[in-house]
Amino acid sequence: MRITIVGTGYVGLVTGTCLADMGNDVVCLDVDQGKIDILRSGGCPIYEPGLVDLIHRNVKSGRLHFTTDKKPAYEQAEVIFICVGTPSTGDGRVDLAMMVQVAEDIGNAIESADGKTGGDANERRAKIIVVKSTVPVGTNVRIKQEIATRTEKHFRMASNPEFLKEGTAIKDFKRPDRVIIGVEDDGTGDRLRDLYEPFVRQGNPIHVMDITSAEMVKYASNAMLATKISFINEIANLCESYGADIDQVRRGMCADRRIGNQFLYPGLGYGGSCFPKDVLACVSMGSEVNMETLLLSAVHEVNHRQRQAFIKKITRHFNDHLSGKKIAFWGIAFKPGTDDVREAPSITLMIALLNRGAKVVAHDPVAHETCRQVLGDQIAYVEEPLSALDGADALVVCTDWDEFKHPDLGEIKKRLKSPVIFDGRNLYRRRVMAEYGFTYYCVGREPVVPQDATM
Ligand SMILES: NC(=O)c1ccc[n+]([C@@H]2O[C@H](COP(=O)([O-])OP(=O)(O)OC[C@H]3O[C@@H](n4cnc5c(N)ncnc54)[C@H](O)[C@@H]3O)[C@@H](O)[C@H]2O)c1
């Protein structure tokens, strides 16, 4: 199939590359000339394990192309996947400006196409416009209207929300738990089912449904996952107040098969480019129809407070005197396996400490560049995790990268000016921290404070 992917971000680039890997002829289109230049020169604008090799393989085979030239990219495609960003506006609604721009471009391209693909009245050949970006319910209708105001030729709409996770995106795309396809007619459902068939050979389901329901599946899924995180964080905070240990509570609770053990880890709350904006979008969708989404408003608020509570742990330890203190950070990315720092808890924490006069030194295996785009040189970036600790007044662990899980604790203690660790991911055992003489703060477990601890 001839496919055009619009937007070569985390979703678009993975989608395009994986579809090319199955033998499709794929053009990835972006308005960001810098990204396209990087891709054309053999690089990759994002960090995603395994992606570079897969891109190289498919470029070499002639199935994967990158362009900024909209017209031919839209004209030649049988299927267009829209994968542009849908960020949050300040008030929680979804900014659809990029989606609308794409719709205008597609409408104009279909209008001027010669009929080979665009504008074919034959259902088997009509161009399919697939919305893969996460968009509020009703957006497909709006996009269809935007296109239809520019052309009277035939095209089909579909909603195909994406569920890949940064860090395991290729595996997630190639072996999805499920594929959701929302359509207005059976023929379009069949054509997209054919496209996805190679990815579900193991029997995972392709659910074909109406477009509105497909749009809602994405929000319902992300809202559920975010709810689990806020739930366990709230229980963790109760544990802390009553002297219970969230790790033990979690184990006891998750043994119940009705509850399960996925996505129930306490920490600094959810971040990234999806959960924060998608939960707010649900709240906003509710208010559009005069419905108060009580639970999801609370999920958002709990998440916000989780970061604030952790900042309070740090400031309280230093009696609110952070001016001139040097704080080392391990982990900047919002989760391991990605360089994405959008809505990362680390950024909130760093800004809070910088505002109080602290100096921040940070190490992340892959996220220095993306962090620099947000914080510039307000913080120092260190290539080697232990070097970040030299002379620091404390270590803050923000991301649970594997390499932070079994560090040389003796060396950490030697390098820190004072042996204090704030562990936002509960990576270390309290007993071991006590043996080494660390002052150790974590989440949902009592802190370890040595008898002779001095500030
Ligand atoms: N990142 C994830 O893990 C993830 C997972 C599932 C769903 N989603 C959803 O997928 C969508 C894309 O997310 P992302 O993280 O890949 O975004 P991103 O910001 O990484 O990438 C979006 C790309 O679209 C490009 N773009 C913007 N306007 C364009 C236009 N008119 N024509 C061509 N290209 C254009 C941008 O330059 C950018 O490269 C969002 O709706 C997001 O909510 C993201």
Side-chain angles (χ1 to χ4, degrees), residues 132-135 161-164 178 180 213-223 274-275 278:
K132 195 173 249 317
S133 299
T134 305
V135 292
E162 182 51 54
F163 299 93
L164 62 76
R178 80 305 207 181
I180 302 295
S213 301
E215 289 175 324
M216 190 55 104
V217 170
K218 177 64 188 174
Y219 281 107
S221 304
N222 276 3
C274 294
F275 292 172
D278 293 349

Side-chain angles (χ1 to χ4, degrees), residues 15 30 148 176 180 326 339 347 383 385 427:
T15 301
D30 207 292
I180 302 295
K326 179 177 169 185
D339 60 349
I347 303 282
E383 290 306 324
L427 294 189

Side-chain angles (χ1 to χ4, degrees), residues 125-384:
R125 288 168 57 196
K127 207 184 276 291
I128 305 177
I129 319 292
V130 184
V131 175
K132 195 173 249 317
S133 299
T134 305
V135 292
V137 174
T139 301
N140 270 258
V141 171
R142 182 171 166 199
I143 296 302
K144 185 179 176 183
Q145 282 165 356
E146 294 285 352
I147 298 173
T149 57
R150 282 163 181 80
T151 180
E152 285 182 358
K153 293 184 184 168
H154 294 273
F155 62 93
R156 302 279 182 270
M157 287 301 297
S159 164
N160 170 223
E162 182 51 54
F163 299 93
L164 62 76
K165 303 181 288 298
E166 290 173 21
T168 55
I170 292 169
K171 182 180 131 292
D172 294 343
F173 194 92
K174 287 196 156 186
R175 303 242 167 126
D177 288 340
R178 80 305 207 181
V179 176
I180 302 295
I181 296 172
V183 286
E184 293 171 312
D185 62 287
D186 292 345
T188 305
D190 290 345
R191 286 169 71 192
L192 291 177
R193 193 189 277 280
D194 282 352
L195 186 64
Y196 274 107
E197 208 65 57
F199 299 104
V200 293
R201 289 263 149 81
Q202 253 104 18
N204 287 351
I206 297 177
H207 293 295
V208 179
M209 58 185 73
D210 67 88
I211 285 182
T212 308
S213 301
E215 289 175 324
M216 190 55 104
V217 170
K218 177 64 188 174
Y219 281 107
S221 304
N222 276 3
M224 180 68 203
L225 294 169
T227 301
K228 288 177 96 170
I229 294 174
S230 280
F231 171 83
I232 199 70
N233 280 332
E234 189 147 282
I235 297 293
N237 296 340
L238 270 176
C239 287
E240 246 174 71
S241 298
Y242 280 92
D245 180 330
I246 187 65
D247 286 351
Q248 297 187 47
V249 171
R250 193 188 159 276
R251 271 200 295 275
M253 183 187 125
C254 292
D256 186 327
R257 268 176 294 180
R258 292 170 304 175
I259 296 172
N261 61 6
Q262 301 277 307
F263 246 73
L264 282 166
Y265 290 93
L268 298 170
Y270 54 79
S273 68
C274 294
F275 292 172
K277 81 170 168 63
D278 293 349
V279 169
L280 283 177
C282 283
V283 174
S284 169
M285 281 194 286
S287 47
E288 299 263 313
V289 291
N290 291 325
M291 186 195 135
E292 210 181 343
T293 46
L294 285 174
L295 178 63
L296 296 179
S297 298
V299 166
H300 169 72
E301 185 58 25
V302 168
N303 195 57
H304 169 72
R305 289 188 195 182
Q306 196 66 10
R307 296 177 188 197
Q308 299 308 318
F310 203 73
I311 291 168
K312 214 173 265 172
K313 278 181 191 169
I314 301 173
T315 55
R316 202 185 295 129
H317 172 84
F318 289 105
N319 287 331
D320 260 326
H321 290 124
L322 275 146
S323 183
K325 298 286 183 209
K326 179 177 169 185
I327 310 295
F329 273 69
W330 276 5
I332 305 174
F334 85 93
K335 67 172 183 177
T338 182
D339 60 349
D340 200 342
V341 301
R342 289 178 283 187
E343 299 284 338
S346 64
I347 303 282
T348 312
L349 265 58
M350 287 180 194
I351 289 173
L353 300 185
L354 288 170
N355 287 342
R356 289 167 171 82
K359 291 185 198 130
V360 172
V361 181
H363 166 79
D364 188 284
V366 297
H368 290 180
E369 264 329 295
T370 43
C371 183
R372 206 172 259 125
Q373 284 161 26
V374 182
L375 293 180
D377 290 330
Q378 293 183 74
I379 67 166
Y381 303 89
V382 178
E383 290 306 324
E384 212 267 319

